[in-house]
Amino acid sequence: MTGLRPAARMQLVELADTDDEDAPAPAGADPRQGGGEAPVPGRRPGRSGVPRWWPAVLAAVVVVVAAVVATQVVTRAAAARADAIAGLPGFVRPLDAPPGELWRAPAAGRTGVLAAGGHVLAVSDATGTWEVRAHDPRTGEARWGAELVATSAAGFDAVAVSCPPGAAESTVVLCRWTQPRVVYSRTRETVASVPPTRMVALDAADGSRLGSWDVADPLVGARRVADDLVVATVQADGRVLVERRTGAAGEVLWSHRSADVLVTPGSGRVAPALSVVGGVVVLGGEATTVLDAASGGVVAHGAAGRQLVVAPLPDGRFATWAPVGGAHLHDRDGSRGVRVPGVPVRLAADDGSVEVLLTDLGNRVAALDPEDGTTVWELATSHSPVATVDGAVVLWGDAALAVVDARDGTPLWEHRTGRAMPFAPVTDGRLVLAAEPDGADRWALSARGLHDGVRVWSVPLPAGVRSLEGVGGTLVARTDTEAVVLG
């Protein structure tokens, strides 16, 4: 075995500065023969040729380049997140500053504003003709316009056009209206026949017509699934026919006829209704049937008198609630799983970061494991969940706004406005945007930090605003007659 290594000892070292021009030439060099290093203009003999300050400059350049690269990485990540948020239904692209009015356009009807093909579309009857106009989201410049149908004519009912929204990146715009019915004829006899419903498909790029088709039977509802339409109509025997049809040509992809009579004139029964929830189609009414949106197969059914509330779960699964029997989790094929407490909540905006099922228990909100239904947390509150984003749950009450941590239900903050808020808040993923009182008769749009509730800014809202929407990532304030784009 070797012995202990001796400690290092300091030795005196003499440093020789070779800056002196008279320094001796290297050994073996003959100045007369040109031996050794050839002189270089501007360099002193015996030097390496590398200035003493060069390492410091090199280090500084490396630091600057690293900072630039890091900044670019952060910028790209922020831009990617902004694009991801803007592409989700109900969300707003992250705002870098307090928004002001960018532009406004006439808009009417329940679906008066939607997004498609990179445009914000406004549906309006302001000119006496229902039309769809595509606008640049930032400038409001009109890209194209398409006239659909006159709003009314003498002797006919008024017409209302609806354009159900699809994905913001969709290249197809689908609109519908019931053809006007004759109110009186020359003989003053009322025509009792039900007029057909017209379906029209427009190209989102230029507004040109891709196709049109009619539905002859009385319409219960029409909802988009991708670029198709799911249409429900009342049959002569009171049953309801549900069909998925191609949006442009109306070709039937699948159909389902209700097992129960859902329409009996004068009976006082609950009117049938159609909705699309995640990957399923829900035909509600006196009885509720849940259909697979892709195949039309029945995946759940409530007996007559047992209406179902349906909420989506990850991976195409869903949850149902009935007044008798409560709530249950379902697999994609409809097979019923465990029973869970409360009524499943259907959120206006969900970024997928919260892996729990939220249910409403009246004076409490519960978060359940969507796999086995176990309770993750409960929160005593009268507020309702409206959005989940970045691991947080946004709740809204009549005169209050709150956010809780989705992991354990810990309240992060609450703000009470003192007056009933006129519409639900929206979020851009970093801020919660909501109406707050701004004097006696006005409202301001206030932004509060998602996780801390600190008010970042507040700007006056245009007069008459009745809703706030995220349309293809664009912040839109709706009045009765206009869409006001903020940014």
Side-chain angles (χ1 to χ4, degrees):
M1 179 179 289
T2 59
L4 294 175
R5 181 178 180 181
R9 290 177 294 178
M10 297 182 64
Q11 295 181 353
L12 295 175
V13 179
E14 182 178 358
L15 299 177
D17 191 350
T18 59
D19 282 352
D20 190 350
E21 295 180 1
D22 297 327
D30 185 353
R32 294 171 300 174
Q33 301 297 326
E37 185 180 3
V40 178
R43 186 198 302 172
R44 293 182 179 181
R47 298 292 298 272
S48 64
V50 179
R52 290 182 174 182
W53 45 264
W54 175 247
V57 172
L58 180 60
V61 171
V62 170
V63 170
V64 170
V65 171
V68 170
V69 171
T71 300
Q72 290 177 341
V73 170
V74 172
T75 301
R76 285 196 296 267
R81 184 177 186 275
D83 290 340
I85 285 291
L88 296 174
F91 283 93
V92 175
R93 180 175 292 277
L95 300 170
D96 296 324
E101 181 179 324
L102 298 179
W103 54 275
R104 61 174 63 199
R110 185 174 58 86
T111 59
V113 184
L114 61 153
H119 307 136
V120 172
L121 309 179
V123 184
S124 170
D125 62 346
T127 63
T129 298
W130 281 99
E131 59 182 355
V132 180
R133 289 197 173 274
H135 299 267
D136 180 278
R138 294 295 302 174
T139 66
E141 177 186 359
R143 297 291 178 81
W144 54 261
E147 294 185 350
L148 300 178
V149 62
T151 56
S152 63
F156 289 84
D157 283 337
V159 175
V161 171
S162 174
C163 301
E169 64 274 12
S170 174
T171 59
V172 178
V173 182
L174 301 176
C175 298
R176 67 174 177 88
W177 65 90
T178 300
Q179 298 282 30
R181 181 178 57 181
V182 176
V183 177
Y184 58 86
S185 64
R186 291 181 179 178
T187 59
R188 299 185 180 274
E189 293 179 356
T190 300
V191 178
S193 62
V194 177
T197 298
R198 171 63 54 88
M199 308 290 183
V200 172
L202 305 175
D203 189 325
D206 57 14
S208 59
R209 290 206 178 194
L210 300 176
S212 63
W213 43 282
D214 288 342
V215 174
D217 295 318
L219 189 70
V220 171
R223 299 290 183 269
R224 278 189 73 144
V225 176
D227 288 340
D228 301 330
L229 279 173
V230 176
V231 179
T233 55
V234 180
Q235 305 298 287
D237 59 1
R239 288 176 168 81
V240 172
L241 178 66
V242 182
E243 298 175 312
R244 178 169 178 173
R245 296 189 174 196
T246 58
E251 297 174 352
V252 177
L253 301 177
W254 57 254
S255 63
H256 168 82
R257 192 168 182 268
S258 68
D260 304 285
V261 174
L262 300 180
V263 179
T264 303
S267 67
R269 288 186 171 190
V270 176
L274 183 72
S275 63
V276 175
V277 181
V280 297
V281 175
V282 182
L283 174 63
E286 192 68 17
T288 303
T289 303
V290 183
L291 308 173
D292 183 280
S295 66
V298 177
V299 294
H301 180 70
R306 296 182 60 186
Q307 301 173 47
L308 297 178
V309 174
V310 182
L313 294 175
D315 305 323
R317 295 174 293 126
F318 60 97
T320 61
W321 174 88
V324 178
H328 291 82
L329 304 183
H330 295 258
D331 290 331
R332 296 186 64 177
D333 61 1
S335 56
R336 195 167 75 170
V338 298
R339 181 175 176 177
V340 294
V343 181
V345 173
R346 292 167 60 173
L347 300 166
D350 177 12
D351 72 340
S353 65
V354 175
E355 298 180 352
V356 294
L357 169 65
L358 298 171
T359 62
D360 186 350
L361 290 85
N363 59 351
R364 291 173 296 153
V365 170
L368 312 178
D369 187 319
E371 299 298 330
D372 57 17
T374 56
T375 300
V376 179
W377 51 263
E378 284 190 11
L379 177 69
T381 180
S382 60
H383 310 331
S384 299
V386 293
T388 57
V389 58
D390 197 21
V393 181
V394 180
L395 300 104
W396 172 49
D398 285 341
L401 192 65
V403 174
V404 302
D405 192 319
R407 295 171 299 180
D408 54 15
T410 301
L412 300 179
W413 57 271
E414 182 180 28
H415 174 70
R416 296 188 174 276
T417 61
R419 285 166 55 189
M421 301 168 68
F423 43 79
V426 297
T427 177
D428 69 352
R430 299 178 304 181
L431 304 172
V432 179
L433 313 176
E436 296 187 12
D438 184 26
D441 301 317
R442 293 187 62 85
W443 293 89
L445 179 64
S446 293
R448 296 183 178 273
L450 175 66
H451 293 286
D452 57 19
V454 175
R455 192 172 77 169
V456 180
W457 47 257
S458 181
V459 295
L461 276 170
V465 171
R466 58 178 177 82
S467 69
L468 200 64
E469 307 171 22
V471 180
T474 300
L475 182 59
V476 179
R478 288 284 308 277
T479 70
D480 288 332
T481 58
E482 289 184 309
V484 183
V485 175
L486 307 175

